[in-house]
Amino acid sequence: MELASPSLDGLGLAGRDVLVVGAGSMGGLAVATAARSGAASIVVADRTRRKAERLAARPGTAVTRAAGLDDLPAVIAEADVVICCTSATGHVITADMMPARRRGTLVLLDLALPRDVEPAVADLPGVTVVGMDTLSAYRTAARTDDVAAVRAILDAELAAYKSAVDAVRVAPTVVALRAKAAGVVDAELARLAG
């Protein structure tokens, strides 16, 4: 399957209508990310509508509504971004269920293994499919200065952690030394006062 390679930086969810297909743990993460990113609306679709409704009812999810997989053609038609993350063994989104696009590009982010999106969907006009292989290629194309910046952050955090661990190890010794010094000072003050 030949997948498009869009700039993932431009794949913001703010102000977009998002459809999350799958109401498991990955679906919950996708919903939370879409909500945090300022999605205009979030629809959750799952094989069992009840599971989608449970995810939609969680506090803070900002889910507009829940749907079943039989509703996919209709809810895909309303979406700008579709995030697929089911545990299905076959394709959940097929080319024949894709609606004619009314505006812009429909982006399908397929996070499922095996894939939820049928390969033929990537060939449809106005549709961009981003799969795990595309994300992997994007990850390996990270600029070296980004990698250096991440390493610098990791080195700083590791140094802070080591310092905290050392402080915890040394703390009892410092307390004992201070107590001993306080005892010596008190004994000397008592001797001088006497």
Side-chain angles (χ1 to χ4, degrees), residues 84-97:
C84 304
C85 46
T86 74
S87 58
T89 57
H91 297 124
V92 177
I93 296 180
T94 60
D96 63 338
M97 71 172 50

Side-chain angles (χ1 to χ4, degrees), residues 182-194:
V184 169
V185 168
D186 289 343
E188 283 299 311
L189 286 176
R191 187 181 63 79
L192 288 173

